Amino acid sequence: MSIKMIRIDDRLIHGQIVTAWAKNINAGKIWIVDDGVAKDDFIKGVMQMVAPSDRELIISSVAEVPALLEKLDGEGDNVLILVKFPYVAQEIFKAGVKLKELNIGGMGASAERKKLFKNISASQAEKDTLKEIQDSGVNVYFQVTPDEKRTEYK
């Protein structure tokens, strides 16, 4: 499988993605899975502008994941998947991605979310989803940048 990383980061593409993670895993493709972004031509255009020009950007809805997983599996490029929410990551794992790791890199505070780890926050429903993902055999961990030590989700 060419999927090298699945990362929850509610900012999707930003400096750490462009300068650190995509290079660290040698990603030829960055795949954003988000229903809202997939439906919004303006936001898609912004994502295209901030994405590294030397990497292909794919933006899809959650419903498109199974077909794209099958397509990308046979291609040679390493793929970095970015999602905003744990439930989207869970759907990717349910669709059959073989990678058994989930990176939590950025989930900002909100009225529903409480501090989970450092600057990462989650609602109770999101914590429940992360536990379900972990209980399914996926290694869930916090790591904001590649040079930072991983901290396991427990």
Side-chain angles (χ1 to χ4, degrees), residues 75-111:
E75 296 179 0
D77 287 334
N78 290 346
V79 179
L80 165 61
I81 298 178
L82 301 172
V83 303
K84 290 183 182 179
F85 307 104
Y87 80 89
V88 177
Q90 186 175 45
E91 290 302 315
I92 292 167
F93 288 111
K94 286 180 181 177
V97 69
K98 294 175 180 75
L99 180 69
K100 295 299 178 195
E101 290 191 332
L102 175 61
N103 171 272
I104 305 172
M107 294 172 59
S110 71

Side-chain angles (χ1 to χ4, degrees), residues 107-124:
M107 294 172 59
S110 71
E112 303 84 38
R113 289 178 169 172
K114 304 284 185 233
K115 184 176 178 175
L116 180 61
F117 178 79
K118 294 186 179 181
N119 293 332
I120 297 170
S121 301
S123 69
Q124 186 58 52

